[in-house]
Amino acid sequence: NLFKKIQSNGQMEDNKEKYKHGFKAPEGYFDSFEDSLFDTLKLEELPKKPGFKVPDGYFDTLEDKILQKVKEEPKETKVIPLFKRRVIWYSASIAASIALLVSLFY
């Protein structure tokens, strides 16, 4: 149906049914939204001081603390091999046994 509309007119017709979702905003709502929001907030009533406190001199030593942690030598990591040597020896011995049996009986 949509393909036919595009083909017949060269462009898609306004399909108002497509945008029916049940939510509506009054006309001009977003034009005056910012003004009504700031009227509701009343900037004078907002607290002047932030709600969080930082110890005195915290940012003076923060960079040094971070760089000290970064410069520390990394701990030696344990390397875990994907294939253990036992598994390789077991599979090699089984293959050799099969090869020996095949060569003896054929």
Side-chain angles (χ1 to χ4, degrees):
N1 191 13
L2 180 63
F3 184 69
K4 289 178 185 177
K5 287 181 185 179
I6 293 172
Q7 269 186 336
S8 64
N9 295 338
Q11 58 182 340
M12 191 173 85
E13 296 177 6
D14 288 336
N15 189 1
K16 293 186 179 182
E17 293 179 13
K18 179 180 177 181
Y19 298 107
K20 286 187 179 180
H21 46 68
F23 299 102
K24 293 182 181 180
E27 290 293 324
Y29 176 76
F30 293 106
D31 297 334
S32 62
F33 177 73
E34 185 177 343
D35 297 331
S36 64
L37 177 66
F38 283 116
D39 288 342
T40 304
L41 287 178
K42 295 181 185 175
L43 293 175
E44 292 82 27
E45 294 180 8
L46 293 175
K48 301 293 183 197
K49 296 181 180 179
F52 301 101
K53 293 184 180 183
V54 178
D56 293 332
Y58 177 75
F59 292 106
D60 296 336
T61 60
L62 180 64
E63 184 178 356
D64 295 332
K65 288 180 182 177
I66 292 174
L67 289 175
Q68 184 181 17
K69 288 182 181 179
V70 171
K71 287 181 181 178
E72 289 179 1
E73 293 184 21
K75 297 178 182 176
E76 188 174 326
T77 57
K78 182 179 179 183
V79 177
I80 301 173
L82 294 176
F83 298 104
K84 294 185 178 183
R85 291 186 182 192
R86 287 183 189 168
V87 174
I88 294 173
W89 281 107
Y90 291 145
S91 59
S93 63
I94 291 172
S97 300
I98 292 174
L100 180 65
L101 289 175
V102 168
S103 66
L104 288 177
F105 294 110
Y106 291 105

